[in-house]
Amino acid sequence: MRIAVAGATGNIGALTVAVLEREGHEVVRVSRSLGVDLLTGDGLDDALAGVDAVIDATNGPASDEAEAVAYFGTATRNLLAAEERAGVRHHVLLSIVGIHKVNGNAHYAGKREQERLVAEGRVPWTIVPVTQFHDFAAMVASWTEQDGVAAIAPLLVQPIAPADVAGVLAGIATGEPRGRYADVAGPEPQDLVDMARRTHRALGREVKLVPTWSGLFGEAMAGNVLLPGEGAHIAPTTFDEWLAAQHQDR
């Protein structure tokens, strides 16, 4: 198949491109750095010519709700319109588990707008809600780290390996549109603070972690809100296995 990956230079996008190419598919990389701009539409028609399916693994700004909604909305409208013109038969959207249960989070508001546009659009679609990635905890801690101290919310998550996400996206894109797919998660629930602590240890870093709900993630995200629902697709790679690989890569 000829499959386009939007956000192809990002973490999940690059991994998904690699999976698809290993399986023998022709991959079109869609990224601003490669001359295709989702916000203006520049280069989209040429990029999607002859494409069978599109995987949208793009990311966007998360600091302001209006900005996030505008960004994801504009990019998604342009992408879907170009897909219609090109006769694309399947749009696969990478989304996040729990976004419909949480208000006040800018990124989640943007993703909800993205889901709405895809579901209401004319291109047959699959929305794939995924839990947080194994590297999420250390990334969140890095946002607030100062002088060796970082504030981090004590979220309960069921994290997944980025490589497992890429495999799921590639498999779905090569099949028929499924509508809203089952939640996709890793095999075990984890505490975000403990995940950050163990990741720092594996990377040989010492960071004092201060659990708090006063930052970006509030108490509306506590408890089971971010965990997968019933009938979830459980990916195989545990957090411990992913951590061991990070340690080996040092």
Side-chain angles (χ1 to χ4, degrees):
M1 293 176 64
R2 181 173 167 88
I3 300 173
V5 177
T9 57
N11 182 22
I12 299 300
L15 290 168
T16 304
V17 167
V19 173
L20 290 167
E21 289 185 334
R22 281 200 304 270
E23 294 178 349
H25 300 288
E26 180 184 357
V27 180
V28 178
R29 292 164 173 80
V30 175
S31 172
R32 187 182 301 170
S33 64
L34 300 175
V36 185
D37 193 329
L38 295 183
L39 292 181
T40 64
D42 290 346
L44 261 180
D45 286 333
D46 288 341
L48 298 188
V51 164
D52 301 299
V54 171
I55 298 172
D56 185 356
T58 54
N59 209 337
S63 57
D64 176 79
E65 183 167 325
E67 182 185 13
V69 170
Y71 177 91
F72 281 114
T74 299
T76 302
R77 286 186 188 91
N78 286 339
L79 186 56
L80 291 173
E83 288 174 22
E84 273 197 72
R85 292 192 294 271
V88 172
R89 301 194 299 271
H90 192 183
H91 180 97
V92 180
L93 172 64
L94 173 62
S95 194
I96 307 171
V97 168
I99 61 173
H100 296 281
K101 302 176 184 177
V102 178
N103 292 315
N105 181 291
H107 187 62
Y108 283 17
K111 295 298 289 184
R112 285 195 298 270
E113 175 68 359
Q114 199 177 29
E115 285 195 7
R116 183 187 70 80
L117 291 167
V118 169
E120 294 178 359
R122 298 179 184 176
V123 179
W125 54 274
T126 306
I127 291 173
V128 188
V130 175
T131 56
Q132 284 69 33
F133 307 143
H134 284 329
D135 55 2
F136 180 69
M139 180 178 68
V140 170
S142 73
W143 295 342
T144 63
E145 183 181 341
Q146 192 170 3
D147 299 325
V149 179
I152 184 169
L155 296 175
L156 181 62
V157 296
Q158 193 162 324
I160 184 170
D164 287 346
V165 175
V168 170
L169 292 175
I172 289 172
T174 56
E176 294 299 315
R178 307 279 291 272
R180 189 168 188 87
Y181 193 74
D183 291 349
V184 179
E188 302 166 331
Q190 301 281 347
D191 172 76
L192 198 70
V193 180
D194 185 58
M195 285 175 64
R197 184 177 296 113
R198 291 163 63 196
T199 304
H200 289 147
R201 189 181 305 135
L203 297 174
R205 301 194 64 233
E206 284 294 329
V207 181
K208 180 181 178 181
L209 299 172
V210 180
T212 178
W213 291 114
S214 63
L216 183 61
F217 304 117
E219 292 182 55
M221 300 174 78
N224 296 339
V225 171
L226 301 182
L227 298 184
E230 291 185 12
H233 174 117
I234 303 300
T237 308
T238 66
F239 182 62
D240 286 337
E241 290 168 339
W242 177 83
L243 265 187
Q246 307 313 297
H247 186 72
Q248 291 167 5
D249 290 343
R250 282 178 57 198

